[in-house]
Amino acid sequence: MRRRWLLAILVSLQIAVLAGMAISNAAVGWYGQQITLKTAPVDPRDLFYGDYVVLRYEISSLDASMWTGAGQPSSKDMVYVKLRRSADEGEIYEAVAVSPERPDTAENEAVLRGQVRYAGGQEIQIRYGLERYYVPEGTGRAIEEERVNLQAHVRIAPWGQARIMELILP
């Protein structure tokens, strides 16, 4: 009898964790703030998952002068990138600061959480978890060839999780 209860508890915990992951991902779309980022495709194919596009964002490589924390960031540090809607480019958001703590935001601003890939000299390279986007079969090459002015609509949840909603081709 005791083993059945233990098994039931373990199975329930596994189901709860999986359900929490699914709900967390869906909640980004429900509650997230939508922003638009400039990007460019890099690679369109994965043997197991089909067509996808590896994206490189303008906000992936930032000037070290944007760092607002003490000292210098290190590889694998979690950071927060403060984004502001560009005055020149309408809906596009651009990075204005990078910090180790989540900064406050005003209207037309958002915060994207990322991980430092490299920090040295005058550059900080950041990975956001938004670098891979799966596309319908057979469309990856066309997107790769259309490297100019590609934009990504991204939703950022209040707790920092982000998800690409769609790619916008010119």
Side-chain angles (χ1 to χ4, degrees):
M1 182 74 160
R2 188 174 174 186
R3 286 186 182 183
R4 283 187 181 170
W5 277 104
L6 183 60
L7 181 61
I9 290 171
L10 289 175
V11 169
S12 297
L13 283 173
Q14 289 178 344
I15 291 171
V17 167
L18 291 175
M21 289 169 56
I23 290 170
S24 173
N25 192 31
V28 172
W30 299 332
Y31 301 111
Q33 174 186 3
Q34 182 163 308
I35 66 169
T36 303
L37 299 172
K38 278 187 169 181
T39 185
V42 178
D43 182 7
R45 186 86 179 128
D46 183 311
L47 183 61
F48 298 109
Y49 296 109
D51 279 4
Y52 72 92
V53 179
V54 173
L55 301 169
R56 177 161 172 78
Y57 298 93
E58 286 187 357
I59 63 169
S60 294
S61 182
L62 301 176
D63 192 88
S65 65
M66 291 185 181
W67 179 250
T68 61
Q72 286 292 91
S74 300
S75 181
K76 298 187 180 179
D77 282 354
M78 293 304 293
V79 294
Y80 294 91
V81 178
K82 187 174 189 176
L83 305 169
R84 183 175 297 139
R85 184 179 292 167
S86 171
D88 300 335
E89 300 191 46
E91 295 297 312
I92 303 294
Y93 278 69
E94 298 173 334
V96 293
V98 184
S99 65
E101 294 90 26
R102 184 179 178 83
D104 293 329
T105 59
E107 191 174 333
N108 294 328
E109 293 183 338
V111 176
L112 190 56
R113 187 179 65 200
Q115 184 178 35
V116 175
R117 287 180 45 207
Y118 169 79
Q122 296 300 313
E123 182 180 44
I124 303 172
Q125 293 180 2
I126 302 171
R127 180 180 304 128
Y128 297 98
L130 300 170
E131 288 76 18
R132 184 178 282 201
Y133 183 70
Y134 290 91
V135 295
E137 193 71 33
T139 62
R141 289 272 179 229
I143 292 172
E144 182 187 42
E145 291 169 4
E146 189 63 50
R147 291 178 181 251
V148 186
N149 297 326
L150 187 63
Q151 297 175 355
H153 282 233
V154 175
R155 283 206 180 256
I156 306 172
W159 53 90
Q161 187 176 358
R163 187 172 104 196
I164 300 172
M165 300 307 288
E166 66 178 328
L167 287 181
I168 307 298
L169 297 170

